[in-house]
Amino acid sequence: MGTLKKTLVLGTSSVLALAGMSSGFALAATDASAQEDAPSAASHDASAAYAKTDIVTLDAVEGQFAFTQSETSSNEDIQKNLGASQYLCGARPMGEASAADVAPEDWQIAVGGAVANPYVATYGELVQTDEVQSLLMGCACAGNPADGKASANAEVTGISVLTMIGMAQPDANANTIVFTSADGYEVALPLSYVQRRYCPVVFDVNGAPLAESVGGVNQLWLGSTSANYFARDVVAITLEERETPPPSPSSDEAREAYANLPNIGVLLGGDVA
């Protein structure tokens, strides 16, 4: 890996130009010693203003990231690095959340709310349609540590949320979509946000049931979205008309809760924990 960033050093004339002044101001002084000291003082003040004592700069950074976009993560790695994360899907997998142990082939989802055609679909009915798709998607926790291990690429198989709500015929004024998990956990999003992304309800990861990776029988995946919005064991999808839709995950309001959580980085010296 080459140099990531080099420190930019500004000369005295450059600093003064940025401040809207010309170095010619020194000529107005009648004292020759003052003329000599002025640039030096300006340079000192500018250096003090731009000093960053907490920044470490290296000519070259070497190391190895724990995650690369060119590889598909194994289910074992996904389970280890993502399955137990407190920031990944607030819902608990079925069997832990209730006494009823639902087999993967027995789950069902109700689609309703502000729709003309509410319905309930079982797993068996969904997989028999032509809408089942497999796609390589990324997943990263909002609480991803500095080593970047809480990230994954996986081939997920499921059915597009847009297909599912399209069959329900949403009302023209519907602006919010709510995903409810078996234990009551909810993820509410602007409908327009979901409509601009590929967002499937997934039941297989890398050709294996979801239980072998992150747990549960199904899971909402959202394209280009932090995994803290990925709800597990979804039992209901509800369309609503709200006066104020929930904040978009990409908005400043939604990001405030995770503003100080690291994403991915290089540790000093190039070592990866």
Side-chain angles (χ1 to χ4, degrees):
M1 182 181 299
T3 301
L4 295 183
K5 184 176 182 180
K6 290 187 177 180
T7 303
L8 176 63
V9 179
L10 296 178
T12 303
S13 59
S14 299
V15 172
L16 297 176
L18 289 175
M21 297 183 290
S22 170
S23 58
F25 81 98
L27 298 177
T30 57
D31 190 339
S33 62
Q35 294 180 26
E36 294 177 358
D37 292 340
S40 176
S43 178
H44 179 272
D45 292 342
S47 297
Y50 287 92
K52 297 292 184 181
T53 57
D54 58 341
I55 294 178
V56 177
T57 55
L58 302 174
D59 290 335
V61 177
E62 295 181 358
Q64 183 176 2
F65 287 112
F67 168 75
T68 63
Q69 294 182 339
S70 61
E71 298 180 2
T72 300
S73 307
S74 68
N75 283 351
E76 290 77 10
D77 286 341
I78 294 174
Q79 183 181 48
K80 176 183 177 182
N81 299 320
L82 295 169
S85 172
Q86 63 176 319
Y87 295 103
L88 178 66
C89 325
R92 301 173 63 190
M94 286 184 178
E96 297 177 16
S98 65
D101 188 9
V102 179
E105 64 272 14
D106 291 338
W107 59 266
Q108 61 184 26
I109 293 180
V111 183
V115 299
N117 182 38
Y119 67 91
V120 177
T122 65
Y123 166 82
E125 292 170 339
L126 291 173
V127 298
Q128 290 177 7
T129 69
D130 296 330
E131 304 301 332
V132 176
Q133 296 178 332
S134 295
L135 188 70
L136 185 65
M137 295 187 68
C139 173
C141 287
N144 196 3
D147 56 20
K149 289 183 178 179
S151 302
N153 281 330
E155 183 179 353
V156 296
T157 301
I159 298 179
S160 168
V161 169
L162 295 184
T163 296
M164 298 179 69
I165 64 176
M167 293 188 293
Q169 301 175 26
D171 293 349
N173 294 326
N175 58 15
T176 301
I177 185 167
V178 181
F179 301 89
T180 304
S181 298
D183 64 355
Y185 177 78
E186 291 186 348
V187 172
L189 297 163
L191 179 58
S192 60
Y193 183 86
V194 174
Q195 290 173 329
R196 294 194 299 268
R197 288 162 174 79
Y198 180 67
C199 303
V201 173
V202 170
F203 44 82
D204 278 5
V205 174
N206 292 330
L210 196 71
E212 296 185 14
S213 51
V214 297
V217 294
N218 69 43
Q219 182 183 36
L220 169 69
W221 281 54
L222 297 165
S224 304
T225 306
S226 172
N228 62 301
Y229 291 94
F230 288 22
R232 282 183 291 206
D233 294 329
V234 178
V235 295
I237 300 175
T238 308
L239 279 298
E240 299 178 0
E241 179 186 352
R242 295 187 181 183
E243 183 176 351
T244 303
S248 165
S250 59
S251 67
D252 292 339
E253 181 181 354
R255 288 174 176 171
E256 285 181 358
Y258 301 96
N260 294 320
L261 294 177
N263 189 350
I264 189 167
V266 179
L267 302 183
L268 181 63
D271 295 329
V272 178

